[in-house]
Amino acid sequence: MALKITVYDGAGVIGGNKILLESDAVADGATRGAAGGAAVFLDFGMSFGGRGRFFEEFLKPRSALGLTDLLEFGLLPPLAGIYRRDLDLPEWRLWDRYRNAPGFREVRADAVLLTHAHLDHSAYISFLDPAIPVYTGLVTAVVAKASQDSAPSDIEREVCYATLREPKQGLLTATNFKKVPYKQRPFRVVDRPVPDALKPFWGQGGSTRAMEPQELRGAEGGPTPNPFRVGELNIKWFPVDHSVPGAGAFAIETAEGWVVYTGDIRLHGRGRGQTELFRDECAKLRPLVLISEGTHPGTTQPVAEEEVHERARAAVRAERGLVLADFGPRNVERLLTFLEIARETGRRLAVTAKDAFLLEAMAAADPATPNPLTPNPLTDDAFVIYGEARLSRETWERVLLERYGDKVRVARDVAADPDAYILCFSFFDLGELVDIRPAGGTYIYSSSEAYSEEMAIDLARLRNWVGHFGLTMAGDPDHERGFHASGHIHGPGLEGLIKAIAPRYLIPVHTESRDFFVRDGERGWPEVVWPEAGKTYEFRNGRLVG
Ligand SMILES: [Zn+2]
């Protein structure tokens, strides 16, 4: 019997996690109590860094070539047997071409265990065979689906359902939307039953194309039905704190011992207690392997969400005119912080249709509604919807705006009453400022600092917009701290977590910080396997053997 772990992406880089865990079938499973005989991927994300080396906004992987461009640049690992069959034409002889790529194998995957709905963990599920089920928490399923529904159709964003392709003149084209429904992926919700109120949402996509429905199967056995099983593996799911709702971590019981995978975690958001519970429960498992993120171990004093609340509230209180709040997509915790600030300062929170769509789906997923953590913008008076100037709208947005009726505000409403709102805009909504023509105001930048060249260029553009309209920027990441709490655990917190869980082996992923992890001979520190992308690490009898 053996356990094999291969980090196909996320090794020595931040994001793009695709980790294959294979556990051989065990002959002596009965005596060990645990068993094996399954292969699961831990996340299957897009590597922004890897993709950015070859592609950009106007130079994308060609969808008419299916898997080709992604395999060529290693953005998908060369693994025959796991990808969508409609994205490959026999005459391309794709696997003849990539059979010699480093790491080529024929593999089988029984499942993807998806930790959370950030694209660097989820997006390339798009290319997987839709027969492979995705196991995740209910809120992650909902956030992934709402994000796909409300984004333009894109072959790299088909996490929950796919537009099937068909051959045309030796290439691939999208099938006719009137004739061929979306192919939905089987999602297995591991943490709770699926409320009936969610079924209409799950059963249709964002456009007029029909859905070939797949049941969203909920967990059986009450609110915390841990562990669940994939093949012969016992798996536990734990909710953790991160900058997107619904994030989870997994622990997998293999015949060699427990393997714990953190996904992305932190200890300074409002859900920090969940991460602490995860840490304490995993310590009890005495795991063989901990696969841990390490995005920001250089941070010693993280900004907490409560501090963001205080600072942003002070900035809003000091402003008599328009306030704009700019935070990352799907960062619902931050949205709720600004909702609270809106209530505290006598304003209303104006959100885009996209945000309202996500919030409504999250409210439908929560049987405890009304719950302050899942407010429904349709019924909650603290919200209005900002309707952006557009000539044509996709079905989801048209239907949503009709539903909100007199709760919809447009540019001239905001211009007439600028101190009545906090406007939740991001960089891509800035065009609306031309129509609002604000006479001063405050732009609160409540998002991460620029960590790539493109982001630095966008930040410079943002400053130009802010300056052009006479706005004051609060939280410019080059000058002012405290308006953003990161999604990732700080160094001392991570060190404490690793020492508490105390695995025999530690495999760092989603990190560039080799020096933080590799500590030769330090007492109380596990043996570190700094992974090489695509290399398989094998464990036998509780030891790394190669
Ligand atoms: Zn994340």
Side-chain angles (χ1 to χ4, degrees):
M1 79 195 152
L3 164 68
K4 292 178 189 162
I5 296 174
T6 314
V7 181
Y8 283 102
D9 208 342
V13 293
I14 292 170
N17 289 21
K18 300 178 201 73
I19 303 157
L20 180 62
L21 181 152
E22 296 161 284
S23 183
D24 282 355
V26 245
D28 59 346
T31 55
R32 290 293 301 269
V40 295
F41 274 104
L42 311 176
D43 289 333
F44 208 85
M46 170 203 277
S47 167
F48 289 110
R51 188 182 184 283
R53 289 178 62 213
F54 300 101
F55 296 107
E56 45 107 291
E57 193 182 352
F58 298 107
L59 177 61
K60 293 183 172 202
R62 298 164 298 169
S63 62
L65 272 295
L67 303 169
T68 314
D69 293 2
L70 296 137
L71 288 170
E72 174 68 28
F73 297 108
L75 301 176
L76 289 174
L79 301 175
I82 60 167
Y83 295 117
R84 282 168 57 179
R85 285 182 208 146
D86 65 314
L87 296 184
D88 181 5
L89 289 180
E91 64 259 37
W92 294 347
R93 301 182 173 278
L94 213 49
W95 293 113
D96 285 354
R97 207 190 306 183
Y98 295 111
R99 193 168 291 278
N100 294 322
F104 170 84
R105 279 167 72 197
E106 291 194 28
V107 296
R108 168 194 111 211
D110 300 306
V112 178
L113 309 183
L114 173 62
T115 56
H116 64 284
H118 276 152
L119 295 172
D120 61 334
H121 292 253
S122 67
Y124 280 3
I125 288 174
S126 309
F127 298 102
L128 291 177
D129 186 331
I132 301 173
V134 178
Y135 287 73
T136 193
L138 180 62
V139 174
T140 291
V142 166
V143 175
K145 166 85 168 37
S147 307
Q148 184 178 347
D149 289 345
S150 60
S153 162
D154 181 343
I155 198 166
E156 292 177 273
R157 299 279 193 285
E158 300 195 317
V159 175
C160 294
Y161 52 93
T163 301
L164 294 175
R165 314 276 153 162
E166 61 190 6
K168 186 179 176 185
Q169 296 161 19
L171 297 172
L172 291 173
T173 186
T175 46
N176 185 325
F177 76 97
K178 288 182 183 152
K179 292 183 185 150
V180 182
Y182 287 123
K183 180 82 183 167
Q184 193 163 36
R185 283 174 203 287
F187 270 62
R188 303 279 178 261
V189 171
V190 299
D191 60 330
R192 59 181 101 159
V194 176
D196 285 342
L198 207 56
K199 288 184 178 155
F201 162 77
W202 196 258
Q204 70 190 55
S207 75
T208 46
R209 190 185 284 258
M211 185 83 85
E212 180 194 306
Q214 279 275 352
E215 187 194 0
L216 178 63
R217 197 188 299 163
E220 287 153 17
T224 51
N226 273 326
F228 62 95
R229 289 176 79 82
V230 173
E232 294 168 8
L233 296 173
N234 281 321
I235 303 176
K236 288 173 181 257
W237 176 91
F238 303 89
V240 294
D241 185 27
H242 184 43
S243 50
V244 61
F250 291 96
I252 303 110
E253 186 179 26
T254 72
E256 289 292 323
W258 286 90
V259 177
V260 175
Y261 172 50
T262 62
D264 287 352
I265 48 169
R266 66 177 171 183
L267 276 166
H268 54 267
R270 292 187 203 277
R272 60 177 71 99
Q274 294 183 321
T275 303
E276 289 165 354
L277 206 61
F278 156 70
R279 177 194 63 203
D280 298 346
E281 289 297 312
C282 287
K284 292 179 200 162
L285 301 176
R286 310 184 66 81
L288 176 69
V289 179
L290 172 65
I291 304 172
S292 173
E293 77 128 311
T295 315
H296 288 154
T299 303
T300 49
Q301 285 273 326
V303 174
E305 192 65 27
E306 289 85 353
E307 186 181 344
V308 173
H309 188 157
E310 274 173 40
R311 290 209 182 221
R313 178 173 52 207
V316 177
R317 283 225 163 104
E319 176 59 60
R320 308 257 157 233
L322 184 65
V323 174
L324 298 109
D326 177 352
F327 47 87
R330 301 178 281 287
N331 189 342
V332 172
E333 179 163 326
R334 187 64 42 77
L335 189 148
L336 295 180
T337 292
F338 279 103
L339 178 66
E340 194 55 36
I341 293 171
R343 290 202 170 101
E344 289 165 341
T345 56
R347 293 172 182 252
R348 292 171 91 187
L349 197 70
V351 297
T352 58
K354 209 176 212 180
D355 283 339
F357 186 76
L358 171 63
L359 290 170
E360 278 192 15
M362 284 182 59
D366 186 354
T369 298
N371 173 347
L373 293 177
T374 53
N376 187 335
L378 186 62
T379 50
D380 190 325
D381 275 345
F383 286 94
V384 293
I385 304 303
Y386 187 87
E388 297 183 70
R390 266 199 249 282
L391 272 177
S392 71
R393 297 180 200 276
E394 203 46 273
T395 312
W396 71 270
E397 187 177 9
R398 192 170 38 73
V399 171
L400 183 132
L401 289 175
E402 281 165 15
R403 189 157 64 232
Y404 279 77
D406 62 4
K407 278 185 89 166
V408 177
R409 300 289 182 276
V410 294
R412 64 173 176 281
D413 303 317
V414 175
D417 224 355
D419 61 348
Y421 307 104
I422 295 176
L423 216 48
C424 296
F425 270 13
S426 72
F427 184 71
F428 301 102
D429 306 309
L430 286 175
E432 295 292 322
L433 286 176
V434 178
D435 308 324
I436 297 171
R437 300 188 69 82
T442 297
Y443 191 99
I444 302 178
Y445 185 81
S446 184
S447 196
S448 57
E449 62 202 69
Y451 48 79
S452 68
E453 253 172 80
E454 294 96 279
M455 285 181 76
I457 293 167
D458 281 351
L459 193 57
R461 281 200 187 98
L462 172 64
R463 290 190 189 108
N464 292 340
W465 280 80
V466 165
H468 180 88
F469 289 105
L471 303 167
T472 306
M473 184 133 133
D476 186 320
D478 286 358
H479 310 295
E480 206 172 8
R481 230 172 96 86
F483 285 87
H484 174 60
S486 151
H488 299 282
I489 191 165
H490 62 301
L494 181 53
E495 183 168 330
L497 181 131
I498 290 166
K499 287 182 172 169
I501 295 179
R504 184 175 291 175
Y505 295 97
L506 172 62
I507 304 181
V509 296
H510 203 284
T511 181
E512 296 171 343
S513 305
R514 194 175 195 278
D515 290 348
F516 173 84
F517 286 101
V518 178
R519 304 175 180 196
D520 288 330
E522 186 180 310
R523 266 173 67 99
W525 197 251
E527 189 168 324
V528 174
V529 180
W530 184 258
E532 199 181 302
K535 180 174 172 187
T536 297
Y537 297 91
E538 189 172 329
F539 300 84
R540 279 177 194 272
N541 301 319
R543 291 275 163 205
L544 177 68
V545 293

